[in-house]
Amino acid sequence: MQPIALLFALLCFEAKADDGYRLWLKYDPLQDASKRASYSKSINSVYASQESSTISAAVEELQMGLKGLLGKNITLVKSMDSKRGNIVLKIENNEKLSEEGYRIFSQNGNFYISSKSEKGLLYGSYEFLRQVQTLQDLSKINIESNPKIKLRLLNHWDNPNGTIERGYAGASLWKWHELPYVIDPRYKDYARANASIGINGTVLNNVNASARFMTAEYLEKVEALAKVFRPYQIKVFLSVRFSAPRNVGGLPTADPLDPQVRQWWKDKAKEIYSIIPDFGGFVVKANSEGEPGPQDYNRTHVDGANMLAEALEPFNGIVMWRAFVYKADPNGDRTKEAYYEFKPFDGQFHKNVIVQVKNGPLDFQPREPFHPLFGAMPQTPLMMEFQLTQEYLGFATHLVYEAPMFKEVLDADTYAKGKGSTVAKVIDGSLHNYRFSAICGVANTGSDRNWTGHPIGQVNWYTLGRLAWDYSLSSEQIAEEWIKMTLTTQPKAVATIKDMMLKSREVMVNYMTPLGLHHLMGEGIHYGPQPWLDKSGRPDWTSTYYHRADTIGLGFNRSATGSNAVGLYAPEIQAVWGSEENCPLEFLLWFHHVRWDKKLPTGKSLWDELCFRYYGGAEEVKKMQEQWIPIKPFIDKEIFTDVLGRLQIQHREAVWWRDACVLYFQTFSKKPIPEPLEKPKTTLEELKKLVLIYQMR
Amino acid sequence: MQPIALLFALLCFEAKADDGYRLWLKYDPLQDASKRASYSKSINSVYASQESSTISAAVEELQMGLKGLLGKNITLVKSMDSKRGNIVLKIENNEKLSEEGYRIFSQNGNFYISSKSEKGLLYGSYEFLRQVQTLQDLSKINIESNPKIKLRLLNHWDNPNGTIERGYAGASLWKWHELPYVIDPRYKDYARANASIGINGTVLNNVNASARFMTAEYLEKVEALAKVFRPYQIKVFLSVRFSAPRNVGGLPTADPLDPQVRQWWKDKAKEIYSIIPDFGGFVVKANSEGEPGPQDYNRTHVDGANMLAEALEPFNGIVMWRAFVYKADPNGDRTKEAYYEFKPFDGQFHKNVIVQVKNGPLDFQPREPFHPLFGAMPQTPLMMEFQLTQEYLGFATHLVYEAPMFKEVLDADTYAKGKGSTVAKVIDGSLHNYRFSAICGVANTGSDRNWTGHPIGQVNWYTLGRLAWDYSLSSEQIAEEWIKMTLTTQPKAVATIKDMMLKSREVMVNYMTPLGLHHLMGEGIHYGPQPWLDKSGRPDWTSTYYHRADTIGLGFNRSATGSNAVGLYAPEIQAVWGSEENCPLEFLLWFHHVRWDKKLPTGKSLWDELCFRYYGGAEEVKKMQEQWIPIKPFIDKEIFTDVLGRLQIQHREAVWWRDACVLYFQTFSKKPIPEPLEKPKTTLEELKKLVLIYQMR
């Protein structure tokens, strides 16, 4: 064997297994030979009408991607020598396009990617590659696309010591001790992945923020990352600690009305922008779960947010002020508190403030109704905070495709301006003519080689970007394109994986918290079932606060006869959710305390329905394992084995959830587990011990 | 381009940069064409006289390694068809070999790797590969090798939540939530790397142990790892929490003399061995830094260790009981305490107990004298605990080759039985005829792609294995073989890198803690200089406790006129270290409080010498950067760039250390920084703020 052939052979040997690092930008040779031939024939070179670092990034990606997919060198030409087979990147005016939008079309044997700006060329180039990756017909391609939401962000809950709050895929991507001099090649791949799905901003650090990010020492490190992200049109943002003027500024107070404090933030903003000219802005978690905030000085959220907003305004920075606040009140209802705390401030926030609201009023549960603030603050831009990382969704060992969960909320109707006033229209700004629109996802990324722990967890990152760009995309469509780009294009395998993904969220709801149950997870780490948890640091961190099980029934009465949280929604919604009879089963126990023997529309009693859902959920995971096995020939072996192992764990944990919840609630219902369901093999006592193991230091 | 060629091309494109994952088992084609041709000619196939999973592992490694290095398929033959060109793995008696030893020799055109057991065949196979990787002459190969130390271990300070105490290379390798069903392919590569350097055991969890490892839930996960490691002859060990009988056993006490407690541990041992038949044993950190232990019940270390030892004895398990204990006493001397606490117990420990002693009496400082317990417990096996992870050595951004540090301690003479009673002879068991011999290194591994953060940090892992096998290897020899296997065989590049490595530890000592200074690192995280630290959770966690700077001089008087810690050593040593005049400069301030104007043998005053060392250390890092740059053509680009960046940070931090220490000590010496050294550009006040940034949450 000759040395050079040998080298190839070796590398092939090593590269055989797919470790998932390349995400959906895999660019392996297309398996469909006729498609590959057809694409190859029609694409020879790329031509860009202008130069910039972003256009270079787009060209580089097209070259790398097409070389991989088609096995062909796509040359960058300085002029359109050849009359056909060019990909032409062209900046031109087009009234139908927003600044980031693009048009892709074919004309006279060339493909045009056009936009008003380099941004659209970048996004259009990734779209072009996606068309090839998913085997679309390019001959009559004609796509016009504008993002529906302007700021499309990841929020990293990454701590400066390298840990990630609620992260299940290794350590932080950001190596703060190595920055600014060591630039991990991964930073660029992170930027590519984000750009490919339209994400245009990243909040680098945990909302439980370290003040150290407000020092020159760290801003230099932040700029080193910003520099890598810049060609990919990704702005950096930072979470700020409200007390930073005290922590690192040497001031005696952080009172937002104190002139010195206000000046400190103004100077700090100036300093930041002198280092990072395109800095995006701040995210703030204030007076929430022990974080400092304006209320420490008897000031309001408005006082705090506006002070920061005024400091950032000269530089076009924005403040994302989180609405995730709640006080410990054993007799209250945590799901109402953000509404009461924020709604009165509607219209009082400075023009570059956006209030960041989680999808539901509690905290990233498997299912929640949409947050009542959506539709309730017409004069204050609200943005959506989704959670990609599976804090309450089984960590990185449960296969959960989140698009249906996100879509459920985006499509929900607030009735704020009559029928059709969906949450999506609130956050895209169209319903209330907001000045801003934004959406963010709490990242599920970490330093694990495959980024997200669960190989299929990658799709949730992908989904956030795709939905933020265009929330009208269906869950099915997003799943299908992701599968084809990432796992396989073999039609049966695509169909099977898609089926597994599409049902996965409902399956999880069933084995964890069916019928509107919520917050039954293990204390602190939110792992495993602990519905019996009745003491914790705060009453609203227990499970019993939420499920209210007693000998009569189950569920939190949030109807007019209870906490009346339902009263925070529009009358049209109250009429449905507020009535035990009309309430959809998925929210039943969220809004109502329901008798164990109450006959549900399914024909079963509450108790029986509960049992069948828990058992059904666990059984479905078993079925997913069975579905996965025949896929083996069509996907990479390493990914196949990894997912199979995770499905085994998921099944074990689904049974754990089922048994724990059924046995525990049975102590109240006093009813037998209905036939033909088999009784759990473990005892409640054993299960109570099991969850404690995972809570030990 | 044809599809198949294309595939190769693509993979090559991607595999071009070396991410360091393969460690020293790189197996890239040998660059030396004549050597490669000569090896290729003489090696055709491999033949094993017996079958076992370990022999299969050895064969697989030989095939994979030689295929890479030589570009040739080495077939496994069932009989020695061909009369020449075989590698023969043969189990046979040989009185000169211990169970793990091997002999490699050539005879009649075949290479023989022989051993009394499959273990030796495994180690011999890796040695054979190393010979090829480092371009040795095989024609007259004749190597006979036995490990000098029986247990050669890594200690992982990995927590079950995935964090690593004092880890600087990402998250834990062990994915506890994914185990036992998801087997990360990395586990096998971890085992291969260890086996290749003779490491035969691994302690999976932090010595600050979680009791959860004593549950069936976790033992099943541990066995899943043990199963991967088994063919590579790596036993798993666990750190145990002394209070486990209370934490997970439901007992009211963990008193080692309580019959129920003793029975609980016996039952637990039986359970462990029923799940993991080749389980290695326990490591225990007891009554140290707040960990539970026998003293909680007014019992002794002997009571605690012997209870566990008796439980493990029926299964041949061992207890490694750590001697790292110290009490908070502002008027005491922490470096004496372990000696006083353990020496009285000499001879009282059960026969399967080994006392695990850190190399020095303090805590993994850049330089410490050897621990006075070595040589002081002739009737109790003592083992060595080195720290590979750079807790006090600049984390993963400082290039520090630790072999010279380890060798310095191993070669130190205790005089316990007269001249030549080296520490190495204590821990290999030969000096006192110990029943066991063991050495461990606190691992510097993590989930970072390159395992150790700093690419050159890999060598410290490599060193531990190689020195544990044969501590007579020189630092130079180990460096040279590691460089050739890992970075380059180009002679000038090898020489330069070796030079950088060999001096690196002394350079670090100079810019951090020259002349015997110690423990000046930032509070808690041990990062950056904080010599002014005078308040902490305990007096012996401050810096001032250790350096004792005053207007008269600098250093901790541990001579007979001071704490007399020097009195714990042999008289021969006392005569040298105990005298300010005789004491080698590297230990001067460890043992003496020396006047600022004291004239040292270098001709300089203490103050001037101190300044020149700090400045010299920082300057040397600058020189290392300059040395590194010309290496570029000879090593992988990604590794080159990474190391270059780290050298930049190291220089920045070396200057930080220099300036902080010189300016701070100047407040006592009141002397100018000697010419021609330039005054620091920063102020002491600025430097005091800087270290605090890195200590913020």
Side-chain angles (χ1 to χ4, degrees):
Chain A
M1 209 180 210
Q2 293 306 301
I4 193 75
L6 145 70
L7 186 68
F8 289 163
L10 277 174
L11 292 170
C12 290
F13 181 74
E14 293 201 354
K16 240 190 332 198
D18 187 341
D19 60 18
Y21 179 77
R22 295 172 300 161
L23 296 160
W24 47 87
L25 303 177
K26 203 157 273 182
Y27 304 147
D28 282 336
L30 293 176
Q31 294 301 299
D32 183 325
S34 85
K35 283 278 188 192
R36 194 176 63 232
S38 136
Y39 294 147
S40 288
K41 213 172 131 185
S42 61
I43 309 172
N44 295 314
S45 52
V46 58
Y47 169 75
S49 65
Q50 277 179 250
E51 280 185 22
S52 81
S53 63
T54 293
I55 292 173
S56 293
V59 167
E60 185 187 58
E61 193 76 27
L62 284 167
Q63 290 181 301
M64 179 169 63
L66 294 170
K67 176 164 181 164
L69 294 160
L70 310 181
K72 175 171 177 174
N73 283 316
I74 307 297
T75 49
L76 172 65
V77 293
K78 299 237 165 174
S79 63
M80 283 176 60
D81 313 319
S82 152
K83 288 194 173 155
R84 302 177 69 83
N86 292 292
I87 300 171
V88 182
L89 303 185
K90 197 169 177 186
I91 291 180
E92 62 185 357
N93 235 337
N94 179 337
E95 285 185 4
K96 289 187 186 165
L97 297 183
S98 63
E99 203 208 348
E100 292 176 301
Y102 57 81
R103 189 175 163 220
I104 307 176
F105 59 99
S106 71
Q107 199 175 59
N108 301 328
N110 292 309
F111 296 107
Y112 289 83
I113 301 173
S114 84
S115 168
K116 283 156 94 169
S117 81
E118 58 179 3
K119 296 180 188 179
L121 298 186
L122 181 72
Y123 299 132
S125 298
Y126 279 109
E127 178 60 46
F128 186 85
L129 284 165
R130 182 157 42 232
Q131 294 284 318
V132 175
Q133 287 175 281
T134 57
L135 306 172
Q136 306 303 309
D137 182 4
L138 294 184
S139 63
K140 287 169 191 162
I141 190 169
N142 193 358
I143 298 173
E144 206 164 67
S145 186
N146 288 309
K148 288 196 160 55
I149 290 170
K150 280 184 197 147
L151 282 170
R152 305 172 298 276
L153 311 172
L154 287 185
N155 279 18
H156 290 275
W157 287 0
D158 290 25
N159 299 313
N161 68 357
T163 60
I164 305 178
E165 186 163 330
R166 313 304 178 183
Y168 313 106
S172 174
L173 294 171
W174 325 127
K175 308 277 186 190
W176 295 111
H177 279 97
E178 301 174 11
L179 289 166
Y181 299 133
V182 185
I183 304 300
D184 189 332
R186 191 164 190 157
Y187 300 150
K188 180 177 166 183
D189 291 326
Y190 167 85
R192 289 175 51 231
N194 279 325
S196 76
I197 52 175
I199 287 174
N200 61 5
T202 180
V203 185
L204 295 172
N205 62 318
N206 193 352
V207 290
N208 297 321
S210 171
R212 68 172 85 183
F213 289 99
M214 293 293 105
T215 63
E217 182 80 3
Y218 270 73
L219 289 171
E220 188 187 359
K221 299 170 192 273
V222 171
E223 161 58 12
L225 289 174
K227 194 174 166 190
V228 178
F229 301 161
R230 200 164 280 132
Y232 293 92
Q233 295 295 332
I234 292 158
K235 284 187 179 181
V236 298
F237 295 72
L238 289 172
S239 297
V240 298
R241 186 161 164 87
F242 197 79
S243 57
R246 288 203 298 110
N247 307 136
V248 300
L251 297 186
T253 176
D255 180 349
L257 299 193
D258 182 286
Q260 272 191 296
V261 171
R262 298 176 77 82
Q263 191 58 47
W264 188 86
W265 281 111
K266 281 181 181 161
D267 295 343
K268 186 52 69 179
K270 199 172 164 189
E271 179 192 354
I272 292 172
Y273 281 89
S274 76
I275 298 167
I276 312 162
D278 54 354
F279 181 71
F282 294 152
V283 175
V284 193
K285 176 178 179 179
N287 294 122
S288 169
E289 296 180 330
E291 293 302 296
Q295 294 174 349
D296 302 347
Y297 306 95
N298 293 315
R299 312 299 184 191
T300 67
H301 287 295
V302 170
D303 295 329
N306 289 357
M307 169 190 65
L308 296 176
E310 285 166 33
L312 293 176
E313 193 185 353
F315 313 100
N316 298 313
I318 65 161
V319 173
M320 293 174 276
W321 192 269
R322 289 175 91 237
F324 181 66
V325 297
Y326 58 104
K327 293 191 190 92
D329 177 1
N331 302 313
D333 179 354
R334 174 172 154 186
T335 67
K336 291 157 64 181
E337 293 174 31
Y339 182 98
Y340 284 127
E341 225 175 305
F342 276 83
K343 185 169 166 52
F345 294 132
D346 189 27
Q348 297 180 39
F349 286 100
H350 203 77
K351 60 183 175 180
N352 54 335
V353 173
I354 185 162
V355 174
Q356 182 166 325
V357 184
K358 291 188 182 183
N359 58 283
L362 184 48
D363 191 14
F364 299 137
Q365 297 302 297
R367 171 169 274 130
E368 297 190 35
F370 71 85
H371 200 297
L373 276 173
F374 292 118
M377 295 186 72
Q379 299 176 74
T380 306
L382 300 185
M383 64 180 280
M384 173 67 75
E385 178 176 320
F386 285 132
Q387 191 183 44
L388 311 179
T389 189
Q390 295 177 224
E391 174 179 356
Y392 294 96
L393 314 183
F395 290 11
T397 49
H398 292 220
L399 192 168
V400 180
Y401 175 43
E402 294 167 350
M405 183 166 78
F406 300 160
K407 294 276 296 180
E408 185 175 294
V409 170
L410 291 168
D411 292 346
D413 200 337
T414 70
Y415 293 92
K417 289 185 154 185
K419 197 164 161 52
S421 304
T422 60
V423 171
K425 287 185 185 167
V426 174
I427 66 153
D428 77 2
S430 62
L431 192 72
H432 303 302
N433 280 313
Y434 286 159
R435 295 175 296 267
F436 288 101
S437 62
I439 188 167
C440 74
V442 179
N444 59 349
T445 51
S447 67
D448 273 5
R449 185 66 182 164
N450 73 3
W451 303 83
T452 58
H454 202 306
I456 296 184
Q458 294 180 352
V459 76
N460 295 323
W461 178 9
Y462 184 84
T463 296
L464 191 272
R466 297 291 286 146
L467 280 183
W469 185 278
D470 181 3
Y471 53 73
S472 76
L473 292 171
S474 70
S475 298
E476 195 174 346
Q477 191 174 340
I478 295 170
E480 180 156 334
E481 61 186 45
W482 178 80
I483 296 166
K484 285 181 175 170
M485 293 165 82
T486 312
L487 295 178
T488 179
T489 53
Q490 202 276 341
K492 275 192 188 168
V494 172
T496 303
I497 299 169
K498 196 165 66 177
D499 177 66
M500 292 171 66
M501 285 168 61
L502 287 171
K503 70 187 173 191
S504 62
R505 185 271 188 132
E506 207 62 41
V507 167
M508 174 204 52
V509 167
N510 281 334
Y511 65 69
M512 278 191 186
T513 51
L515 295 168
L517 286 171
H518 47 285
H519 211 293
L520 309 182
M521 291 76 182
E523 186 176 17
I525 65 164
H526 302 156
Y527 178 74
Q530 201 171 23
W532 45 84
L533 182 71
D534 57 2
K535 282 205 190 80
S536 188
R538 296 171 50 151
D540 47 3
W541 289 346
T542 67
S543 300
T544 53
Y545 175 98
Y546 295 102
H547 65 66
R548 310 275 165 128
D550 56 27
T551 54
I552 297 162
L554 180 65
F556 196 137
N557 184 357
R558 294 188 173 109
S559 75
T561 64
S563 79
N564 200 26
V566 77
L568 306 183
Y569 293 95
E572 294 90 334
I573 296 172
Q574 291 182 36
V576 182
W577 293 353
S579 143
E580 192 176 318
E581 302 309 315
N582 298 342
C583 187
L585 289 187
E586 71 246 36
F587 293 134
L588 185 64
L589 304 178
W590 185 282
F591 286 112
H592 302 281
H593 189 70
V594 180
R595 281 186 294 106
W596 291 112
D597 58 3
K598 164 91 178 181
K599 192 77 101 187
L600 301 184
T602 59
K604 295 195 182 75
S605 71
L606 171 65
W607 168 250
D608 283 1
E609 184 67 30
L610 190 75
C611 290
F612 275 97
R613 295 218 175 191
Y614 271 115
Y615 277 77
E619 188 56 30
E620 276 290 336
V621 181
K622 191 91 196 160
K623 280 192 197 145
M624 283 161 74
Q625 280 181 259
E626 288 157 14
Q627 282 181 284
W628 186 253
I629 289 169
I631 284 170
K632 190 170 180 181
F634 307 112
I635 69 168
D636 173 79
K637 195 182 151 190
E638 185 170 329
I639 291 177
F640 172 82
T641 307
D642 185 308
V643 171
L644 187 66
R646 284 175 209 264
L647 285 167
Q648 285 179 271
I649 294 173
Q650 188 176 359
H651 183 249
R652 173 150 133 170
E653 293 182 6
V655 169
W656 178 21
W657 267 95
R658 176 196 78 187
D659 291 352
C661 293
V662 166
L663 288 176
Y664 169 70
F665 290 129
Q666 193 180 35
T667 65
F668 298 96
S669 78
K670 314 278 186 197
K671 292 175 190 298
I673 292 163
E675 297 286 343
L677 307 176
E678 277 182 37
K679 277 186 201 164
K681 295 193 180 91
T682 45
T683 66
L684 189 54
E685 288 316 302
E686 284 167 339
L687 294 163
K688 284 186 178 178
K689 278 184 200 161
L690 184 53
V691 75
L692 296 177
I693 292 173
Y694 285 92
Q695 291 167 10
M696 285 181 187
R697 80 150 186 194
Chain B
M1 210 180 212
Q2 293 306 301
I4 194 73
L6 144 71
L7 186 68
F8 288 162
L10 277 174
L11 292 169
C12 291
F13 181 73
E14 294 200 354
K16 239 183 346 190
D18 188 340
D19 59 20
Y21 179 77
R22 295 173 299 162
L23 297 159
W24 47 87
L25 304 176
K26 204 156 273 184
Y27 304 148
D28 282 337
L30 293 177
Q31 294 301 302
D32 183 325
S34 86
K35 282 276 185 191
R36 194 175 64 233
S38 137
Y39 295 147
S40 288
K41 212 171 132 186
S42 61
I43 308 172
N44 296 314
S45 52
V46 57
Y47 169 74
S49 65
Q50 275 178 251
E51 280 186 21
S52 80
S53 61
T54 292
I55 292 173
S56 292
V59 167
E60 185 188 58
E61 194 76 26
L62 284 167
Q63 289 181 300
M64 180 170 64
L66 293 170
K67 177 168 182 157
L69 294 161
L70 309 181
K72 175 170 178 176
N73 283 317
I74 306 298
T75 49
L76 173 64
V77 293
K78 301 237 164 177
S79 63
M80 285 178 56
D81 313 317
S82 152
K83 289 192 172 157
R84 301 178 70 83
N86 293 291
I87 301 171
V88 182
L89 302 185
K90 197 169 177 187
I91 292 181
E92 62 185 1
N93 234 335
N94 180 337
E95 284 184 4
K96 289 188 187 165
L97 296 183
S98 62
E99 203 208 348
E100 294 176 300
Y102 57 81
R103 190 176 161 218
I104 306 176
F105 58 100
S106 70
Q107 198 175 60
N108 300 327
N110 293 308
F111 296 106
Y112 288 84
I113 301 173
S114 83
S115 169
K116 283 157 94 169
S117 80
E118 57 180 4
K119 296 179 189 181
L121 298 187
L122 181 72
Y123 299 130
S125 298
Y126 279 109
E127 178 60 46
F128 186 84
L129 283 165
R130 183 159 38 234
Q131 295 285 318
V132 174
Q133 286 175 283
T134 57
L135 306 172
Q136 305 302 312
D137 182 2
L138 295 184
S139 63
K140 287 171 188 161
I141 189 169
N142 192 358
I143 299 173
E144 205 164 68
S145 186
N146 289 309
K148 288 196 160 55
I149 290 171
K150 280 185 194 146
L151 282 169
R152 306 172 297 276
L153 311 173
L154 286 184
N155 279 17
H156 291 275
W157 287 359
D158 290 24
N159 299 314
N161 69 357
T163 59
I164 304 178
E165 185 163 329
R166 313 304 179 183
Y168 314 106
S172 175
L173 294 170
W174 325 127
K175 309 277 185 189
W176 295 111
H177 280 97
E178 300 174 13
L179 289 166
Y181 299 132
V182 185
I183 304 300
D184 188 333
R186 191 163 191 159
Y187 300 150
K188 180 177 165 182
D189 291 326
Y190 167 85
R192 289 175 51 231
N194 279 325
S196 76
I197 52 176
I199 286 174
N200 61 4
T202 179
V203 186
L204 296 173
N205 62 317
N206 193 351
V207 289
N208 297 321
S210 170
R212 68 172 85 186
F213 290 99
M214 293 294 106
T215 64
E217 182 79 4
Y218 270 74
L219 289 171
E220 189 187 358
K221 299 171 191 274
V222 171
E223 162 57 13
L225 289 175
K227 195 176 165 188
V228 178
F229 301 162
R230 200 163 281 132
Y232 293 92
Q233 296 295 333
I234 292 158
K235 285 188 180 181
V236 298
F237 294 72
L238 289 171
S239 297
V240 298
R241 186 160 164 87
F242 196 78
S243 56
R246 290 202 298 108
N247 307 136
V248 299
L251 297 186
T253 176
D255 181 349
L257 298 193
D258 181 285
Q260 273 190 297
V261 171
R262 299 175 77 82
Q263 191 59 46
W264 187 88
W265 281 110
K266 281 181 180 160
D267 294 344
K268 185 53 69 181
K270 200 172 163 189
E271 180 192 353
I272 292 172
Y273 282 89
S274 75
I275 297 167
I276 311 160
D278 53 354
F279 181 72
F282 295 152
V283 175
V284 194
K285 175 178 179 179
N287 294 121
S288 168
E289 298 180 332
E291 293 301 297
Q295 294 173 348
D296 303 345
Y297 306 95
N298 293 315
R299 312 300 183 190
T300 67
H301 287 294
V302 169
D303 295 330
N306 289 356
M307 169 189 66
L308 296 175
E310 285 167 32
L312 293 176
E313 192 185 355
F315 313 101
N316 299 313
I318 65 161
V319 172
M320 291 174 274
W321 192 270
R322 288 174 93 238
F324 181 65
V325 297
Y326 59 104
K327 292 191 192 93
D329 177 2
N331 301 314
D333 180 355
R334 174 172 156 187
T335 67
K336 292 158 64 182
E337 295 176 29
Y339 182 97
Y340 283 128
E341 226 175 308
F342 276 82
K343 184 168 169 51
F345 294 132
D346 190 27
Q348 297 181 39
F349 286 102
H350 204 78
K351 61 183 174 180
N352 54 334
V353 173
I354 184 161
V355 173
Q356 181 167 324
V357 184
K358 291 188 182 183
N359 57 283
L362 184 47
D363 191 15
F364 298 137
Q365 296 301 299
R367 170 169 275 130
E368 298 190 33
F370 72 86
H371 200 297
L373 276 174
F374 293 117
M377 295 186 72
Q379 300 177 74
T380 306
L382 300 185
M383 65 180 280
M384 174 66 77
E385 178 177 320
F386 285 131
Q387 190 182 45
L388 311 180
T389 189
Q390 295 176 224
E391 174 179 356
Y392 294 95
L393 313 183
F395 290 12
T397 48
H398 292 220
L399 192 167
V400 180
Y401 175 43
E402 294 167 349
M405 184 166 74
F406 300 160
K407 294 275 296 179
E408 183 173 296
V409 170
L410 291 167
D411 292 346
D413 200 336
T414 68
Y415 294 92
K417 288 184 156 186
K419 196 164 162 50
S421 304
T422 61
V423 171
K425 287 185 184 168
V426 173
I427 65 154
D428 78 2
S430 62
L431 192 71
H432 303 301
N433 279 313
Y434 286 159
R435 296 175 295 268
F436 290 101
S437 62
I439 188 166
C440 74
V442 179
N444 59 349
T445 52
S447 66
D448 273 4
R449 185 65 181 165
N450 74 3
W451 302 82
T452 57
H454 202 307
I456 296 183
Q458 294 180 353
V459 76
N460 295 324
W461 178 9
Y462 184 85
T463 296
L464 190 273
R466 297 290 286 145
L467 279 184
W469 186 279
D470 182 2
Y471 53 73
S472 76
L473 292 171
S474 71
S475 298
E476 193 174 349
Q477 190 174 342
I478 295 171
E480 179 154 336
E481 62 185 45
W482 177 82
I483 295 166
K484 286 181 174 170
M485 293 165 82
T486 312
L487 296 177
T488 180
T489 53
Q490 203 276 342
K492 274 192 188 167
V494 171
T496 303
I497 299 169
K498 195 164 67 176
D499 177 65
M500 291 170 67
M501 287 168 62
L502 286 172
K503 70 186 172 193
S504 61
R505 185 269 189 133
E506 207 62 40
V507 168
M508 174 203 53
V509 167
N510 281 335
Y511 65 71
M512 278 192 186
T513 52
L515 296 168
L517 286 171
H518 47 285
H519 211 291
L520 309 181
M521 292 77 182
E523 186 176 17
I525 66 165
H526 302 156
Y527 178 76
Q530 200 171 21
W532 45 83
L533 182 71
D534 58 2
K535 282 206 189 78
S536 187
R538 295 170 52 150
D540 47 5
W541 289 345
T542 66
S543 299
T544 52
Y545 176 98
Y546 295 102
H547 64 65
R548 311 275 164 127
D550 55 28
T551 52
I552 298 161
L554 179 66
F556 195 138
N557 183 356
R558 294 189 173 106
S559 74
T561 64
S563 78
N564 201 25
V566 78
L568 307 183
Y569 294 94
E572 294 89 333
I573 297 172
Q574 291 181 38
V576 183
W577 293 352
S579 142
E580 194 177 316
E581 302 309 315
N582 298 342
C583 187
L585 290 187
E586 70 249 35
F587 293 132
L588 183 64
L589 304 179
W590 184 282
F591 287 112
H592 302 281
H593 189 71
V594 181
R595 283 191 342 273
W596 292 113
D597 58 4
K598 164 92 180 180
K599 192 76 102 187
L600 302 184
T602 60
K604 295 195 181 73
S605 71
L606 171 65
W607 167 250
D608 284 359
E609 183 68 29
L610 190 76
C611 290
F612 274 99
R613 295 218 176 192
Y614 271 115
Y615 276 77
E619 188 56 31
E620 276 291 334
V621 180
K622 193 89 196 161
K623 281 193 197 144
M624 283 161 75
Q625 279 181 260
E626 288 158 13
Q627 282 181 284
W628 186 251
I629 289 169
I631 284 168
K632 190 170 182 182
F634 307 112
I635 69 167
D636 174 79
K637 195 183 153 190
E638 185 170 329
I639 292 176
F640 172 81
T641 307
D642 185 310
V643 172
L644 187 65
R646 284 175 208 266
L647 285 167
Q648 284 180 269
I649 294 173
Q650 187 176 358
H651 183 248
R652 174 151 131 170
E653 293 182 6
V655 169
W656 178 21
W657 266 96
R658 176 195 79 188
D659 291 351
C661 292
V662 166
L663 289 176
Y664 169 70
F665 289 130
Q666 193 178 33
T667 65
F668 297 96
S669 78
K670 313 278 186 197
K671 292 176 189 296
I673 291 164
E675 296 288 342
L677 306 178
E678 278 181 36
K679 275 185 202 165
K681 295 190 180 90
T682 46
T683 66
L684 188 54
E685 288 315 303
E686 285 167 336
L687 293 164
K688 284 185 179 179
K689 279 184 199 161
L690 185 53
V691 74
L692 295 177
I693 291 174
Y694 286 91
Q695 292 168 10
M696 285 183 187
R697 79 149 188 194

